[in-house]
Amino acid sequence: EPEVTQTPSHQVTQMGQEVILRCVPISNHLYFYWYRQILGQKVEFLVSFYNNEISEKSEIFDDQFSVERPDGSNFTLKIRSTKLEDSAMYFCASSEQETQYFGPGTRLLVL
Amino acid sequence: QQPVQSPQAVILREGEDAVINCSSSKALYSVHWYRQKHGEAPVFLMILLKGGEQKGHEKISASFNEKKQQSSLYLTASQLSYSGTYFCGTIGFTGTASKLTFGTGTRLQVTL
């Protein structure tokens, strides 16, 4: 069964450093998403992406964040200058139509 | 607008039933139910799109009321594997039909 994959599974970085989180969505899906989940809290929407552009973004998704689909398979989330409060689990999701399937997540720890 | 889930937590003995509710102050385009085990990704359970809809199977099913403001998830004859946190994710009629807004979750623990 096809699934969303994410790399790395864990990332530790120093405050102020840039990180790139990578996702490979399910191959025939056209809609891509990033969500994050701070430890013990609910899942929060960051951004959705369709047809090579951002469809919608949340207030969390400020100028420090960017997304890209550099080739036909990868979908990336870049955080330019990480802050302590960026520590969270980051989930990528993809959908063909309504149903969003989540990847296993990248646990980001900012020190 | 964040949906409200209840209860926040429930503990069941194996074989018991549970109902988890998800409410919105406005009519919704759709409701999506997910289960998340500790340290893992949310796993899709089902989606409801139509008012008055009921779907699922006899063990795990869900309903969406006529006004499309409330959904309930029914867990029947619970098994140990049902343990986890259940989230409803909603999509409203404003903005693009892409952003899932999740509730705060219901932590379910099934014991022997």
Side-chain angles (χ1 to χ4, degrees):
Chain A
E1 187 174 321
E3 55 185 23
V4 177
T5 59
Q6 289 184 244
T7 55
S9 56
H10 293 79
Q11 173 96 48
V12 180
T13 190
Q14 295 289 328
M15 191 169 58
Q17 295 295 304
E18 173 183 287
V19 294
I20 297 176
L21 309 183
R22 291 182 168 80
C23 168
V24 178
I26 294 172
S27 62
N28 63 331
H29 287 185
L30 301 175
Y31 301 87
F32 315 116
Y33 315 85
W34 283 102
Y35 291 84
R36 80 171 187 192
Q37 186 177 32
I38 293 170
L39 187 64
Q41 298 185 23
K42 68 182 177 73
V43 177
E44 298 175 289
F45 171 81
L46 291 178
V47 66
S48 58
F49 193 86
Y50 170 72
N51 201 24
N52 281 321
E53 58 182 32
I54 291 174
S55 308
E56 190 166 359
K57 58 183 180 180
S58 71
E59 293 169 355
I60 303 167
F61 194 87
D62 61 22
D63 293 343
Q64 293 300 314
F65 291 88
S66 62
V67 289
E68 198 176 36
R69 188 153 162 81
D71 54 45
S73 58
N74 289 286
F75 179 51
T76 62
L77 174 70
K78 183 192 290 187
I79 310 175
R80 287 190 186 81
S81 178
T82 51
K83 299 176 251 194
L84 294 176
E85 54 265 36
D86 292 330
S87 294
M89 191 75 149
Y90 288 80
F91 293 107
C92 172
S94 70
S95 69
E96 186 179 11
Q97 292 182 4
E98 307 288 350
T99 302
Q100 297 183 26
Y101 295 94
F102 283 70
T106 293
R107 186 173 295 281
L108 177 66
L109 179 60
V110 182
L111 303 175
Chain B
Q1 198 161 12
Q2 181 180 316
V4 177
Q5 269 187 253
S6 63
Q8 286 187 325
V10 59
I11 299 175
L12 295 175
R13 289 245 170 100
E14 202 174 18
E16 291 181 335
D17 303 340
V19 180
I20 300 171
N21 298 304
C22 176
S23 296
S24 170
S25 58
K26 295 184 179 179
L28 299 164
Y29 175 77
S30 62
V31 173
H32 307 228
W33 285 98
Y34 289 83
R35 175 171 61 214
Q36 184 180 33
K37 295 191 182 272
H38 183 69
E40 299 180 11
V43 173
F44 172 76
L45 294 175
M46 65 189 80
I47 179 176
L48 297 110
L49 291 160
K50 299 177 186 174
E53 182 177 14
Q54 280 203 289
K55 70 190 317 183
H57 51 76
E58 61 179 54
K59 296 280 187 161
I60 301 179
S61 61
S63 63
F64 200 11
N65 74 344
E66 288 288 346
K67 288 187 177 180
K68 300 184 73 175
Q69 286 181 263
Q70 181 165 351
S71 177
S72 295
L73 184 71
Y74 306 95
L75 304 166
T76 305
S78 58
Q79 305 167 11
L80 294 176
S81 61
Y82 287 5
S83 294
T85 300
Y86 290 78
F87 291 97
C88 67
T90 59
I91 293 180
F93 284 100
T94 57
T96 59
S98 63
K99 168 188 169 183
L100 269 175
T101 301
F102 283 93
T104 49
T106 296
R107 188 168 297 180
L108 178 76
Q109 185 180 351
V110 181
T111 63
L112 288 169

